[in-house]
Structures are given as C-alpha cells and as structure tokens.
Amino acid sequence: MSTPLHTEPATHETVETPDGPFTVVARADGAVLASGWMASVDALVSRIAPELRPASLVDGHLAATDAVTAYYAGDVAAIDDVVVAQRGGEFRMRGWAQLRRIRPGHPQTYTEFAAAIGNPRAVRAAASACATNAPALFVPCHRVLRTDGSLGGFAWGLDVKRSLLAREAAAAS
C-alpha cells in the first residue's frame, strides 16, 4: 500500500436513504473522495485512488450528505454542485466529467457515453470508467445503460440503480 499524500484526516458520515445506508468520505475541504450505499467506511476508502487516500478518518457532518438528503427528498439536482476529487488517466477523467453532464432522467447508453468522451469504439473503457467511479451518486454512473436499454452493472446493486433512475425519471417529467 502506498503512503497517503494527505495527512489531514478525512471525514465520513452515513445517512439513511430509501435505498439503504449511504456513506460519504470527504477531504477536509469537503471534496468527496468516495461514497456509496453501504455503512463500511473501510470498503469505501479502498475505492479511493491510492494517492488521494486519507491517512486517517474522523466521524463528522458533511455538506455532501445534506445534498444526498435533498436528492432523496426530490431535488435530484442537489448533487450537481458537490465537489469531488478523483485521480485517473485522461480517458477516465474525461469520462467522470461527462458523467456529471448527463441530465437526470435522460440516461445514456455506454456507446453514447463513449462517444461523448471522444471515442465511440471505447465502450469497454467507458464501462470501466463507470466501474471505478468512487464518488457514486455525485458522479452519476448510474445514468449509463447497456445499448439495449437494460441496466447493465452497478457496484451498489441493480435495485439501487433502478431506484435512482426511476426517481430521476419522475423528477424529469
């Protein structure tokens, strides 16, 4: 394991949602490093790029969890302005940025997503960008579907993905 570059502790907080417990790990400046539908902070930390991984963790309140609560209360745009911190190659960084441009209620297929990143034939690489996305919900990888419109995979389970997409479709209509 590499030595963390960040010596300030990261903060974590778990909130209850209709889809189960949702945990956020964020830097001292509030930027979300990882999040997902689980209560295990250690499992979330393992999803963070080694060079961004915090040296220690403290429990505390995060503005990001307020955005999660607002999202589940019907304001699906509440997650849009939450700052995230990710590290990856150029294609993944473009992919993660593109995920944040997909409007709620208007999912893209992996082919459309790959084309939006700049390489329509890089469907597997686009899917990999989704699979390695650590700040779930804030970088909405759930908004990408298989070409036939089926759900495909989701690290947090297809029931959660289905729920998120239904919530966003209802808000968009």
Side-chain angles (χ1 to χ4, degrees):
M1 185 168 155
S2 64
T3 303
L5 299 177
H6 302 280
T7 57
E8 290 185 20
T11 302
H12 66 91
E13 182 178 18
T14 301
V15 294
E16 287 301 319
T17 75
D19 294 319
F22 187 84
T23 301
V24 177
V25 176
R27 293 189 314 209
D29 66 2
V32 174
L33 296 165
S35 54
W37 290 265
M38 62 169 38
S40 172
V41 177
D42 291 339
L44 278 178
V45 169
S46 72
R47 295 180 60 87
I48 300 170
E51 60 272 20
L52 294 178
R53 210 167 280 156
S56 61
L57 295 163
V58 296
D59 191 19
H61 178 69
L62 295 166
T65 58
D66 292 337
V68 172
T69 300
Y71 173 91
Y72 275 100
D75 180 6
V76 296
I79 60 172
D80 293 351
D81 294 327
V82 173
V83 176
V84 300
Q86 297 189 93
R87 213 34 88 72
E90 181 183 339
F91 186 83
R92 283 191 185 177
M93 294 300 290
R94 284 195 328 259
W96 294 329
Q98 174 59 29
L99 287 170
R100 297 197 87 179
R101 289 190 285 273
I102 301 173
R103 294 183 336 222
H106 302 279
Q108 292 183 341
T109 66
Y110 285 107
T111 302
E112 291 167 334
F113 176 53
I117 300 170
N119 189 345
R121 293 191 294 196
V123 175
R124 286 183 186 212
S128 178
C130 290
T132 58
N133 173 44
L137 188 61
F138 306 108
V139 178
C141 55
H142 64 274
R143 295 180 186 158
V144 182
L145 307 172
R146 287 185 174 155
T147 303
D148 66 4
S150 63
L151 294 179
F154 190 55
W156 312 106
L158 294 184
D159 288 342
V160 173
K161 185 172 185 171
R162 188 176 295 108
S163 170
L164 298 172
L165 291 171
R167 179 176 308 284
E168 293 176 356
S173 62

